Short mmCIF file of all heavy atoms in Angstrom, two decimals:
data_model
loop_
_atom_site.label_atom_id
_atom_site.label_comp_id
_atom_site.label_asym_id
_atom_site.label_seq_id
_atom_site.Cartn_x
_atom_site.Cartn_y
_atom_site.Cartn_z
N ASN A 380 -10.92 -2.99 24.19
CA ASN A 380 -11.35 -4.38 24.32
C ASN A 380 -11.60 -4.95 22.92
O ASN A 380 -12.47 -4.46 22.21
CB ASN A 380 -12.62 -4.41 25.17
CG ASN A 380 -12.98 -5.84 25.55
OD1 ASN A 380 -12.45 -6.79 24.96
ND2 ASN A 380 -13.85 -5.97 26.53
N PRO A 381 -10.86 -6.00 22.53
CA PRO A 381 -11.02 -6.56 21.18
C PRO A 381 -12.44 -7.03 20.88
O PRO A 381 -12.84 -7.10 19.71
CB PRO A 381 -10.03 -7.72 21.14
CG PRO A 381 -9.49 -7.90 22.50
CD PRO A 381 -9.77 -6.67 23.29
N VAL A 382 -13.20 -7.30 21.93
CA VAL A 382 -14.60 -7.73 21.74
C VAL A 382 -15.39 -6.64 21.01
O VAL A 382 -16.36 -6.92 20.31
CB VAL A 382 -15.24 -8.04 23.12
CG1 VAL A 382 -16.73 -8.28 23.00
CG2 VAL A 382 -14.56 -9.25 23.74
N ASP A 383 -14.97 -5.38 21.15
CA ASP A 383 -15.70 -4.26 20.54
C ASP A 383 -15.33 -4.03 19.07
O ASP A 383 -15.86 -3.13 18.43
CB ASP A 383 -15.42 -2.97 21.32
CG ASP A 383 -15.90 -3.06 22.76
OD1 ASP A 383 -16.98 -3.63 22.96
OD2 ASP A 383 -15.20 -2.56 23.66
N ALA A 384 -14.39 -4.83 18.53
CA ALA A 384 -13.97 -4.61 17.14
C ALA A 384 -14.93 -5.28 16.16
O ALA A 384 -15.36 -6.41 16.37
CB ALA A 384 -12.56 -5.18 16.94
N SER A 385 -15.28 -4.55 15.08
CA SER A 385 -16.12 -5.17 14.06
C SER A 385 -15.26 -5.67 12.89
O SER A 385 -15.71 -6.40 12.04
CB SER A 385 -17.18 -4.19 13.56
OG SER A 385 -16.56 -3.13 12.89
N ARG A 386 -14.01 -5.22 12.84
CA ARG A 386 -13.08 -5.70 11.81
C ARG A 386 -11.69 -5.90 12.43
O ARG A 386 -11.33 -5.19 13.36
CB ARG A 386 -12.96 -4.70 10.66
CG ARG A 386 -14.35 -4.40 10.12
CD ARG A 386 -14.32 -3.59 8.89
NE ARG A 386 -15.68 -3.15 8.59
CZ ARG A 386 -16.05 -2.51 7.51
NH1 ARG A 386 -15.14 -2.21 6.59
NH2 ARG A 386 -17.28 -2.13 7.31
N ALA A 387 -10.96 -6.83 11.88
CA ALA A 387 -9.60 -7.07 12.39
C ALA A 387 -8.74 -7.61 11.26
O ALA A 387 -9.26 -8.16 10.28
CB ALA A 387 -9.64 -8.06 13.54
N MET A 388 -7.45 -7.40 11.37
CA MET A 388 -6.54 -8.02 10.40
C MET A 388 -5.21 -8.31 11.07
O MET A 388 -4.82 -7.64 12.02
CB MET A 388 -6.35 -7.13 9.17
CG MET A 388 -5.48 -5.94 9.37
SD MET A 388 -5.04 -5.00 7.87
CE MET A 388 -5.98 -5.67 6.61
N TYR A 389 -4.56 -9.37 10.59
CA TYR A 389 -3.20 -9.61 11.08
C TYR A 389 -2.31 -10.03 9.93
O TYR A 389 -2.76 -10.68 8.98
CB TYR A 389 -3.17 -10.65 12.21
CG TYR A 389 -3.63 -12.04 11.83
CD1 TYR A 389 -2.71 -13.00 11.41
CD2 TYR A 389 -4.97 -12.39 11.90
CE1 TYR A 389 -3.12 -14.28 11.07
CE2 TYR A 389 -5.39 -13.66 11.56
CZ TYR A 389 -4.46 -14.60 11.14
OH TYR A 389 -4.88 -15.87 10.80
N LEU A 390 -1.09 -9.61 10.04
CA LEU A 390 -0.08 -9.97 9.05
C LEU A 390 1.01 -10.74 9.76
O LEU A 390 1.59 -10.26 10.74
CB LEU A 390 0.50 -8.71 8.40
CG LEU A 390 1.63 -8.95 7.39
CD1 LEU A 390 1.09 -9.66 6.14
CD2 LEU A 390 2.31 -7.64 6.99
N LEU A 391 1.27 -11.94 9.27
CA LEU A 391 2.33 -12.76 9.84
C LEU A 391 3.55 -12.64 8.95
O LEU A 391 3.47 -12.86 7.74
CB LEU A 391 1.84 -14.22 9.88
CG LEU A 391 2.87 -15.28 10.21
CD1 LEU A 391 3.35 -15.14 11.65
CD2 LEU A 391 2.28 -16.67 9.98
N SER A 392 4.65 -12.25 9.55
CA SER A 392 5.88 -12.12 8.77
C SER A 392 6.99 -12.96 9.40
O SER A 392 7.29 -12.80 10.59
CB SER A 392 6.27 -10.64 8.71
OG SER A 392 7.49 -10.51 8.04
N ALA A 393 7.55 -13.84 8.62
CA ALA A 393 8.59 -14.75 9.13
C ALA A 393 9.26 -15.40 7.92
O ALA A 393 8.77 -15.28 6.80
CB ALA A 393 7.94 -15.82 10.01
N PRO A 394 10.36 -16.11 8.13
CA PRO A 394 10.96 -16.83 7.00
C PRO A 394 9.97 -17.86 6.44
O PRO A 394 9.16 -18.43 7.18
CB PRO A 394 12.16 -17.52 7.64
CG PRO A 394 12.47 -16.72 8.85
CD PRO A 394 11.18 -16.19 9.34
N HIS A 395 10.05 -18.05 5.14
CA HIS A 395 9.17 -18.97 4.41
C HIS A 395 8.94 -20.28 5.14
O HIS A 395 7.82 -20.73 5.35
CB HIS A 395 9.84 -19.28 3.06
CG HIS A 395 8.87 -19.18 1.93
ND1 HIS A 395 7.67 -19.84 1.94
CD2 HIS A 395 8.92 -18.49 0.77
CE1 HIS A 395 7.03 -19.56 0.83
NE2 HIS A 395 7.76 -18.73 0.10
N LYS A 396 10.07 -20.87 5.56
CA LYS A 396 9.99 -22.23 6.11
C LYS A 396 9.33 -22.29 7.48
O LYS A 396 8.99 -23.35 7.96
CB LYS A 396 11.40 -22.81 6.19
CG LYS A 396 11.96 -23.13 4.84
CD LYS A 396 13.31 -23.77 4.95
CE LYS A 396 13.82 -24.11 3.57
NZ LYS A 396 15.27 -24.10 3.50
N GLU A 397 9.21 -21.16 8.12
CA GLU A 397 8.61 -21.15 9.46
C GLU A 397 7.09 -21.03 9.40
O GLU A 397 6.42 -21.09 10.42
CB GLU A 397 9.16 -20.00 10.32
CG GLU A 397 10.65 -19.81 10.31
CD GLU A 397 11.39 -20.98 10.94
OE1 GLU A 397 10.74 -21.80 11.61
OE2 GLU A 397 12.61 -21.05 10.76
N MET A 398 6.56 -20.77 8.20
CA MET A 398 5.12 -20.54 8.12
C MET A 398 4.43 -21.72 7.46
O MET A 398 4.94 -22.27 6.49
CB MET A 398 4.84 -19.27 7.32
CG MET A 398 5.37 -18.04 8.02
SD MET A 398 4.78 -16.51 7.32
CE MET A 398 5.77 -16.35 5.87
N ASN A 399 3.30 -22.10 7.97
CA ASN A 399 2.52 -23.17 7.33
C ASN A 399 1.04 -22.90 7.58
O ASN A 399 0.67 -22.04 8.38
CB ASN A 399 2.93 -24.53 7.88
CG ASN A 399 2.79 -24.57 9.40
OD1 ASN A 399 1.70 -24.39 9.92
ND2 ASN A 399 3.91 -24.78 10.09
N MET A 400 0.20 -23.63 6.90
CA MET A 400 -1.24 -23.39 6.97
C MET A 400 -1.78 -23.58 8.39
O MET A 400 -2.66 -22.85 8.83
CB MET A 400 -2.00 -24.32 6.01
CG MET A 400 -1.89 -23.92 4.55
SD MET A 400 -2.06 -22.14 4.29
CE MET A 400 -3.80 -21.93 4.64
N ASP A 401 -1.22 -24.57 9.10
CA ASP A 401 -1.69 -24.80 10.47
C ASP A 401 -1.51 -23.57 11.33
O ASP A 401 -2.39 -23.18 12.09
CB ASP A 401 -0.87 -25.93 11.12
CG ASP A 401 -1.29 -27.29 10.59
OD1 ASP A 401 -2.24 -27.31 9.79
OD2 ASP A 401 -0.66 -28.28 10.96
N LEU A 402 -0.31 -22.96 11.17
CA LEU A 402 0.00 -21.78 11.99
C LEU A 402 -0.97 -20.65 11.68
O LEU A 402 -1.53 -20.03 12.59
CB LEU A 402 1.45 -21.35 11.71
CG LEU A 402 1.89 -20.03 12.30
CD1 LEU A 402 1.76 -20.01 13.80
CD2 LEU A 402 3.35 -19.73 11.91
N VAL A 403 -1.19 -20.41 10.38
CA VAL A 403 -2.11 -19.33 9.99
C VAL A 403 -3.51 -19.59 10.55
O VAL A 403 -4.17 -18.70 11.08
CB VAL A 403 -2.14 -19.17 8.44
CG1 VAL A 403 -3.18 -18.15 8.02
CG2 VAL A 403 -0.76 -18.78 7.93
N LYS A 404 -3.93 -20.85 10.48
CA LYS A 404 -5.26 -21.21 10.97
C LYS A 404 -5.34 -21.04 12.49
O LYS A 404 -6.30 -20.46 13.02
CB LYS A 404 -5.59 -22.65 10.57
CG LYS A 404 -7.00 -23.03 10.94
CD LYS A 404 -7.36 -24.42 10.53
CE LYS A 404 -8.72 -24.82 11.10
NZ LYS A 404 -8.95 -24.49 12.49
N GLU A 405 -4.31 -21.52 13.18
CA GLU A 405 -4.30 -21.40 14.65
C GLU A 405 -4.38 -19.94 15.07
O GLU A 405 -5.10 -19.59 16.00
CB GLU A 405 -2.99 -21.99 15.22
CG GLU A 405 -2.87 -23.47 15.11
CD GLU A 405 -3.45 -24.20 16.32
OE1 GLU A 405 -3.81 -23.52 17.30
OE2 GLU A 405 -3.54 -25.44 16.26
N LEU A 406 -3.62 -19.09 14.37
CA LEU A 406 -3.62 -17.67 14.72
C LEU A 406 -5.01 -17.06 14.49
O LEU A 406 -5.50 -16.27 15.30
CB LEU A 406 -2.57 -16.91 13.91
CG LEU A 406 -1.12 -17.12 14.32
CD1 LEU A 406 -0.19 -16.51 13.29
CD2 LEU A 406 -0.86 -16.52 15.70
N GLY A 407 -5.63 -17.46 13.38
CA GLY A 407 -6.97 -16.98 13.06
C GLY A 407 -7.97 -17.40 14.13
O GLY A 407 -8.77 -16.59 14.60
N ASP A 408 -7.89 -18.67 14.54
CA ASP A 408 -8.80 -19.17 15.58
C ASP A 408 -8.59 -18.42 16.89
O ASP A 408 -9.54 -18.10 17.60
CB ASP A 408 -8.57 -20.68 15.82
CG ASP A 408 -9.03 -21.51 14.63
OD1 ASP A 408 -9.75 -20.95 13.78
OD2 ASP A 408 -8.65 -22.69 14.56
N TYR A 409 -7.32 -18.18 17.17
CA TYR A 409 -6.97 -17.51 18.43
C TYR A 409 -7.54 -16.08 18.45
O TYR A 409 -8.14 -15.65 19.43
CB TYR A 409 -5.44 -17.49 18.54
CG TYR A 409 -4.91 -17.03 19.88
CD1 TYR A 409 -5.21 -17.74 21.04
CD2 TYR A 409 -4.11 -15.90 19.98
CE1 TYR A 409 -4.71 -17.32 22.27
CE2 TYR A 409 -3.61 -15.49 21.20
CZ TYR A 409 -3.91 -16.20 22.34
OH TYR A 409 -3.42 -15.78 23.55
N LEU A 410 -7.36 -15.38 17.33
CA LEU A 410 -7.88 -14.01 17.24
C LEU A 410 -9.40 -14.00 17.28
O LEU A 410 -10.03 -13.15 17.92
CB LEU A 410 -7.35 -13.32 15.97
CG LEU A 410 -7.71 -11.86 15.78
CD1 LEU A 410 -7.27 -11.01 16.96
CD2 LEU A 410 -7.07 -11.31 14.50
N ARG A 411 -10.00 -14.99 16.62
CA ARG A 411 -11.47 -15.08 16.61
C ARG A 411 -12.00 -15.21 18.04
O ARG A 411 -13.01 -14.62 18.41
CB ARG A 411 -11.88 -16.27 15.73
CG ARG A 411 -13.20 -16.89 15.98
CD ARG A 411 -14.36 -16.54 15.04
NE ARG A 411 -14.01 -15.97 13.77
CZ ARG A 411 -14.23 -14.69 13.46
NH1 ARG A 411 -14.79 -13.89 14.32
NH2 ARG A 411 -13.89 -14.24 12.29
N GLY A 412 -11.25 -15.97 18.87
CA GLY A 412 -11.65 -16.13 20.27
C GLY A 412 -11.67 -14.80 21.01
O GLY A 412 -12.51 -14.56 21.86
N MET A 413 -10.74 -13.91 20.65
CA MET A 413 -10.65 -12.62 21.36
C MET A 413 -11.56 -11.56 20.75
O MET A 413 -12.02 -10.65 21.44
CB MET A 413 -9.20 -12.12 21.34
CG MET A 413 -8.32 -12.92 22.28
SD MET A 413 -6.67 -12.22 22.42
CE MET A 413 -5.93 -12.85 20.94
N ALA A 414 -11.75 -11.62 19.43
CA ALA A 414 -12.57 -10.62 18.74
C ALA A 414 -13.69 -11.33 17.99
O ALA A 414 -13.71 -11.39 16.76
CB ALA A 414 -11.69 -9.81 17.78
N PRO A 415 -14.65 -11.89 18.75
CA PRO A 415 -15.65 -12.77 18.13
C PRO A 415 -16.58 -12.08 17.13
O PRO A 415 -17.15 -12.74 16.27
CB PRO A 415 -16.45 -13.30 19.33
CG PRO A 415 -16.17 -12.37 20.45
CD PRO A 415 -14.83 -11.77 20.21
N LYS A 416 -16.71 -10.74 17.25
CA LYS A 416 -17.67 -10.06 16.35
C LYS A 416 -16.99 -9.53 15.08
O LYS A 416 -17.65 -8.93 14.23
CB LYS A 416 -18.32 -8.90 17.09
CG LYS A 416 -19.25 -9.35 18.21
CD LYS A 416 -19.90 -8.15 18.86
CE LYS A 416 -19.81 -8.22 20.36
NZ LYS A 416 -19.78 -6.94 21.02
N ALA A 417 -15.68 -9.71 14.99
CA ALA A 417 -14.95 -9.05 13.89
C ALA A 417 -14.86 -9.91 12.63
O ALA A 417 -14.71 -11.13 12.70
CB ALA A 417 -13.55 -8.70 14.37
N THR A 418 -14.96 -9.23 11.48
CA THR A 418 -14.59 -9.86 10.22
C THR A 418 -13.07 -9.83 10.17
O THR A 418 -12.47 -8.76 10.27
CB THR A 418 -15.13 -9.02 9.04
OG1 THR A 418 -16.52 -8.84 9.24
CG2 THR A 418 -14.86 -9.68 7.70
N ILE A 419 -12.44 -10.98 10.04
CA ILE A 419 -10.98 -11.03 10.16
C ILE A 419 -10.32 -11.28 8.79
O ILE A 419 -10.70 -12.20 8.08
CB ILE A 419 -10.54 -12.12 11.16
CG1 ILE A 419 -11.13 -11.81 12.55
CG2 ILE A 419 -9.02 -12.22 11.24
CD1 ILE A 419 -10.85 -12.87 13.60
N ARG A 420 -9.36 -10.42 8.46
CA ARG A 420 -8.57 -10.65 7.25
C ARG A 420 -7.14 -10.95 7.68
O ARG A 420 -6.69 -10.48 8.72
CB ARG A 420 -8.58 -9.40 6.36
CG ARG A 420 -9.93 -9.16 5.74
CD ARG A 420 -9.91 -7.98 4.79
NE ARG A 420 -11.18 -7.88 4.09
CZ ARG A 420 -12.29 -7.40 4.61
NH1 ARG A 420 -12.31 -6.96 5.86
NH2 ARG A 420 -13.41 -7.35 3.91
N ASN A 421 -6.45 -11.73 6.85
CA ASN A 421 -5.06 -12.03 7.24
C ASN A 421 -4.17 -12.16 6.02
O ASN A 421 -4.65 -12.21 4.88
CB ASN A 421 -5.01 -13.31 8.07
CG ASN A 421 -5.39 -14.52 7.26
OD1 ASN A 421 -4.72 -14.85 6.27
ND2 ASN A 421 -6.46 -15.19 7.63
N GLY A 422 -2.89 -12.19 6.28
CA GLY A 422 -1.93 -12.38 5.21
C GLY A 422 -0.62 -12.88 5.77
O GLY A 422 -0.37 -12.78 6.98
N ASP A 423 0.20 -13.47 4.90
CA ASP A 423 1.54 -13.87 5.34
C ASP A 423 2.56 -13.21 4.41
O ASP A 423 2.29 -12.98 3.23
CB ASP A 423 1.69 -15.40 5.32
CG ASP A 423 1.42 -15.99 3.95
OD1 ASP A 423 0.35 -15.68 3.38
OD2 ASP A 423 2.27 -16.74 3.44
N TYR A 424 3.69 -12.89 5.02
CA TYR A 424 4.71 -12.14 4.30
C TYR A 424 6.06 -12.80 4.58
O TYR A 424 6.66 -12.58 5.63
CB TYR A 424 4.68 -10.68 4.79
CG TYR A 424 5.60 -9.72 4.07
CD1 TYR A 424 6.15 -10.00 2.83
CD2 TYR A 424 5.92 -8.49 4.67
CE1 TYR A 424 6.98 -9.10 2.19
CE2 TYR A 424 6.75 -7.57 4.03
CZ TYR A 424 7.27 -7.89 2.80
OH TYR A 424 8.10 -6.99 2.17
N PRO A 425 6.54 -13.63 3.64
CA PRO A 425 7.80 -14.31 3.88
C PRO A 425 9.01 -13.39 3.74
O PRO A 425 9.22 -12.79 2.68
CB PRO A 425 7.84 -15.39 2.78
CG PRO A 425 6.63 -15.21 1.95
CD PRO A 425 5.95 -13.95 2.33
N ARG A 426 9.75 -13.25 4.83
CA ARG A 426 10.99 -12.45 4.83
C ARG A 426 12.01 -13.21 5.64
O ARG A 426 11.68 -13.78 6.68
CB ARG A 426 10.79 -11.08 5.51
CG ARG A 426 9.79 -10.17 4.90
CD ARG A 426 10.21 -9.25 3.81
NE ARG A 426 11.58 -9.11 3.43
CZ ARG A 426 11.96 -8.46 2.33
NH1 ARG A 426 11.05 -7.92 1.53
NH2 ARG A 426 13.21 -8.34 2.01
N GLU A 427 13.23 -13.19 5.17
CA GLU A 427 14.29 -13.84 5.94
C GLU A 427 14.62 -12.96 7.13
O GLU A 427 15.12 -11.85 6.98
CB GLU A 427 15.53 -14.08 5.08
CG GLU A 427 15.37 -15.19 4.07
CD GLU A 427 14.76 -16.47 4.66
OE1 GLU A 427 15.22 -16.94 5.71
OE2 GLU A 427 13.79 -16.98 4.07
N LYS A 428 14.30 -13.41 8.31
CA LYS A 428 14.62 -12.67 9.52
C LYS A 428 14.69 -13.66 10.66
O LYS A 428 14.32 -14.82 10.50
CB LYS A 428 13.60 -11.57 9.78
CG LYS A 428 12.13 -11.98 9.66
CD LYS A 428 11.22 -10.85 10.08
CE LYS A 428 10.50 -10.20 8.92
NZ LYS A 428 9.66 -9.10 9.26
N THR A 429 15.13 -13.20 11.81
CA THR A 429 15.28 -14.13 12.93
C THR A 429 14.07 -14.08 13.86
O THR A 429 14.09 -14.62 14.95
CB THR A 429 16.53 -13.75 13.76
OG1 THR A 429 16.38 -12.37 14.14
CG2 THR A 429 17.80 -13.90 12.97
N MET A 430 13.03 -13.41 13.39
CA MET A 430 11.85 -13.24 14.22
C MET A 430 10.61 -13.74 13.50
O MET A 430 10.55 -13.76 12.28
CB MET A 430 11.59 -11.75 14.49
CG MET A 430 12.78 -10.99 14.99
SD MET A 430 12.85 -11.20 16.73
CE MET A 430 12.75 -9.49 17.17
N MET A 431 9.62 -14.06 14.30
CA MET A 431 8.28 -14.24 13.76
C MET A 431 7.53 -13.00 14.25
O MET A 431 7.52 -12.70 15.44
CB MET A 431 7.68 -15.51 14.33
CG MET A 431 6.37 -15.86 13.70
SD MET A 431 5.79 -17.48 14.24
CE MET A 431 6.69 -18.58 13.16
N GLU A 432 6.93 -12.27 13.30
CA GLU A 432 6.32 -11.00 13.69
C GLU A 432 4.84 -10.94 13.31
O GLU A 432 4.45 -11.46 12.27
CB GLU A 432 7.05 -9.83 13.00
CG GLU A 432 8.47 -9.67 13.52
CD GLU A 432 9.31 -8.76 12.64
OE1 GLU A 432 9.41 -9.03 11.42
OE2 GLU A 432 9.87 -7.79 13.16
#
Side-chain angles (χ1 to χ4, degrees):
N380 190 345
V382 171
D383 298 321
S385 66
R386 305 188 190 186
M388 75 172 8
Y389 63 93
L390 177 68
L391 170 67
S392 176
H395 226 308
K396 289 183 179 151
E397 313 294 346
M398 295 192 282
N399 56 60
M400 285 317 289
D401 285 356
L402 171 59
V403 174
K404 185 179 172 315
E405 290 271 352
L406 285 170
D408 290 346
Y409 190 62
L410 184 56
R411 156 102 18 251
M413 287 187 280
K416 292 182 228 151
T418 306
I419 300 176
R420 291 184 173 77
N421 67 61
D423 57 308
Y424 185 18
R426 299 272 353 169
E427 287 313 311
K428 47 174 108 182
T429 56
M430 309 275 239
M431 187 173 278
E432 293 166 305

